[in-house]
Amino acid sequence: MNTSFERCENTKVEWLTPPNLVLKLGEFDLDPCSPIDAPFLHANNNFTTIDDGLSKEWFGRVYLNPPYGRGMELWIEKLKNHGNGIALIFARTETKCFFEHIWNDADALLFVKGRIRFYHVTGVQAGTPGAPSVFIAYGRENALALKNSGIDGRYLDLKL
Ligand SMILES: C[S@@+](CC[C@H](N)C(=O)[O-])C[C@H]1O[C@@H](n2cnc3c(N)ncnc32)[C@H](O)[C@@H]1O
């Protein structure tokens, strides 16, 4: 399927998490990849492309919806090593990224029911993406936050 969402991924258009979803996960100390002209923020501290959030030291509880496309796994690997946070990516469970950084390392997953309608930097909500999404928790407190979030989907604890 080649939806407009996927086409835009390749051109690195920004796709922002609906704020109501992040609010359900609690307070975050850092979003390491936030838009420069963000219509809303998900964390108390935010790195943008100007900072290059991937090269920075991460701190506290991290919310990560990484830039999609090639290189995305570097952000997931960094969150895995940081050990405290929640990521949101497409649920492409067969990929190298999943096998190298998620299946054996994350604490829990929440497969989202239906498709998340992300936002453009303009603050306008986009159409339906071409793939389902999954939240990934690193750290037991983040697993608990996913479990108790009330976000509609299927929770899977990977460390039980
Ligand atoms: C999928 S969007 C998610 C934005 C936001 N985290 C959210 O969930 O609403 C990815 C973001 O990463 C930013 N980005 C790309 N490369 C970056 C870098 N090296 N350092 C910091 N931010 C970056 C883009 O500008 C874009 O806003």
Side-chain angles (χ1 to χ4, degrees), residues 12-18 22 31-36 40 42 46-55 63-68 75 88 118-119 121:
K12 294 192 168 43
V13 173
E14 324 232 359
W15 294 92
L16 316 183
T17 316
V22 185
D31 179 344
C33 49
S34 185
I36 289 170
F40 41 74
H42 301 309
N46 299 274
F47 294 145
T48 69
T49 48
I50 295 169
D51 310 299
D52 184 15
L54 192 57
S55 69
Y63 178 72
L64 175 69
N65 170 15
Y68 291 85
W75 295 82
L88 174 66
F118 292 86
Y119 280 76
V121 272

Side-chain angles (χ1 to χ4, degrees), residues 41 60 67 77 88-89 136:
L41 295 171
E77 182 179 22
L88 174 66
I89 62 173
I136 304 155

Side-chain angles (χ1 to χ4, degrees), residues 21 23-26 110 135 143-152:
L21 286 182
L23 281 176
K24 291 180 181 198
L25 300 172
L110 178 66
F135 286 100
L144 202 61
L146 270 192
K147 188 177 182 183
N148 297 330
S149 66
I151 295 172
D152 209 0

